[in-house]
Amino acid sequence: MQDLKVITPEELKGLDEPRITPSQNQSEFSKKIYLESYGCQMNFADSEVVTSILMEQGYSTTSNIQDADTILLNTCAIRENAEQKIRNRLQSFKPLKAKNPHITVGILGCMAERLKTKLLEEEKIVDLIAGPDAYRDLPRLLEEIEDGNKAVNVFLSREETYGNIEPVRLHTNGVNALVSIMRGCNNMCSFCVVPYTRGRERSRDLNSILKECDNLYKEGYREVTLLGQNVDSYYWVNHENQQSVNFAQLLEKVAQSNPDLRIRFSTSHPKDITDEVLHTMAAYDNICKNIHLPAQSGNNRILELMNRTYTREWYLDRIKAIRHILGESCGISHDLIAGFCSETEEEHQDTLSLMEEVKYDFGYMFAYSERPGTPAEKKLKDDVPDEVKKRRLQEIIDLQRIHSGYRNQFMVGTIQRVLVEGDSKKSSEHHYGRTDNNKVVVFPKLNMELKGKFVDVKITHCTTGTLLGELIN
């Protein structure tokens, strides 16, 4: 392999860094909201819904915290360090609150749902707590605070999808956008807080999804990512005609509605991704050939303790089906946990051997973090020493580095269709975009501004994280 760049753990940790909502000015007299988003893509999509709800009530947003009347943090609770980051951030607001006691500080999202009113007791600076299903209630909650009260709504709904709310696009480059198709999770993995912080699965109205995708295309967007905790569980019933739509059928309808709009989706659960979905992906050029398929472990005993409801053999059969139906070039990424409860060295080696067999393009890799209230915390013992977790995690990261390089090298010499997303981070003389299988490509502009365009690029060489090439059309 040539010119391979090392992906560091620090770069992976960057996924947890907050994104600050840019200014959306309405009136200099309107109350200003400063909003930071942490965690997964669902949280960023939720922040766009929150902004829409508040702007409809006359609020505006600001990217300058000093100008804010209200500070909102949309939080993640998936790992302990994600919550600790929020607590540290709250400490930094104390001088602002001391200077202006009328500033409202609110916690939204999964951490708010997990800790509920306990957050008000532990973090005196917090005035407002709102769970992921309570965002429509934010205007009322903010009014309640104006009356001198603390405000809390952590009610979990079995119906709320925010399907009729048009998000205010915040975390976007104007080329690709997030479209939430369902909320919640029924899978009850033993290590995971999501079913407790986001509630049960419910799917969004098909017509509202199609309308949102159509509007995005008209606004100039050329790619959408369909989001859900488990998109393969999407199942919507039209009660007017008693017809149902599953995820494969949804994919097809979105693909057919606009052939010039590129479609991605995340996340898939190995037990649910069907051949029907794979054949639908193969049938439409505008559905990207890329699948995020979390494995979590390569060992059957650990998978059973995790309540993943599939075996290593089942998982590898799904990989085989992906390669058979979509081809060797289909991008496959993973989630893996190092050092889950009672994991032995031999079981860790099973995870490494799974990686060797699949050779993933990319992965999200973490040491196990015990989450209060989960089945693993209640019934299992977090008995793998931290230093062992860190060493095993590093071995996983190191192996993924090799495989990312291998998979990228596989594409050198090919011609790839690339959607240009903007300037390269390192040089305004270069564009960057992504291939159908989700590889980042950087290539010289040649004095052409091509943002939002599809172009053909010949891949000339690579690093472990990036394909480098030259424009051929």
Side-chain angles (χ1 to χ4, degrees), residues 83-125:
E83 290 193 0
Q84 190 56 50
K85 192 170 290 186
I86 299 300
R87 292 186 186 275
N88 292 340
R89 187 65 174 134
L90 288 172
Q91 295 305 306
S92 72
F93 297 156
K94 286 186 174 180
L96 276 174
K97 189 83 166 179
K99 183 178 178 181
N100 182 5
H102 297 294
I103 289 179
T104 296
V105 176
I107 300 295
L108 313 181
C110 292
M111 185 176 173
E113 189 66 46
R114 190 183 79 78
L115 294 175
K116 300 179 174 62
T117 56
K118 186 178 179 183
L119 254 178
L120 297 179
E121 300 166 9
E122 295 176 346
E123 304 290 350
K124 302 299 183 184
I125 195 173

Side-chain angles (χ1 to χ4, degrees), residues 217-262:
Y217 184 82
K218 290 175 181 176
E219 292 168 12
Y221 291 87
R222 292 298 175 262
E223 179 180 286
V224 296
T225 299
L226 307 180
L227 288 181
Q229 253 70 44
N230 179 18
V231 290
D232 301 280
S233 293
Y234 178 89
Y235 188 79
W236 177 70
V237 178
N238 186 338
H239 294 289
E240 292 182 4
N241 56 23
Q242 294 304 305
Q243 291 183 333
S244 61
V245 179
N246 65 20
F247 182 57
Q249 294 162 338
L250 168 67
L251 268 182
E252 182 169 55
K253 290 179 184 298
V254 176
Q256 289 175 340
S257 68
N258 197 326
D260 294 323
L261 183 66
R262 197 157 77 165

Side-chain angles (χ1 to χ4, degrees), residues 392-406:
R392 290 178 184 173
L393 174 60
Q394 191 60 53
E395 289 176 1
I396 291 171
I397 291 171
D398 290 344
L399 186 57
Q400 183 56 56
R401 222 180 257 136
I402 294 170
H403 292 162
S404 293
Y406 170 81

Side-chain angles (χ1 to χ4, degrees), residues 2 16 33 73-74 92 97 114 128 153 163 177 221 259-260 278-279 330 342:
Q2 54 180 321
D16 289 330
I33 303 288
L73 303 184
N74 193 356
S92 72
K97 189 83 166 179
R114 190 183 79 78
L128 180 151
N153 186 340
Y221 291 87
D260 294 323
L278 301 181
H279 284 298
C330 178
S342 77

Side-chain angles (χ1 to χ4, degrees), residues 287-354:
I287 303 178
C288 291
K289 310 308 181 277
N290 178 72
I291 297 175
H292 184 60
L293 199 66
Q296 307 300 0
S297 173
N299 176 266
N300 282 339
R301 187 183 76 87
I302 296 298
L303 288 172
E304 186 174 2
L305 288 178
M306 289 177 167
N307 195 35
R308 290 294 286 173
T309 68
Y310 57 83
T311 63
R312 176 191 177 104
E313 291 74 25
W314 173 279
Y315 185 91
L316 287 173
D317 178 74
R318 293 293 80 208
I319 296 294
K320 182 179 178 181
I322 291 168
R323 296 293 188 212
H324 175 70
I325 296 170
L326 296 175
E328 287 295 322
S329 63
C330 178
I332 304 177
S333 54
H334 67 76
D335 292 344
L336 285 170
I337 296 173
F340 188 69
C341 305
S342 77
E343 182 188 66
T344 66
E345 195 61 34
E346 183 179 1
E347 290 165 341
H348 166 62
Q349 292 299 319
D350 284 344
T351 293
L352 296 178
S353 71
L354 179 78

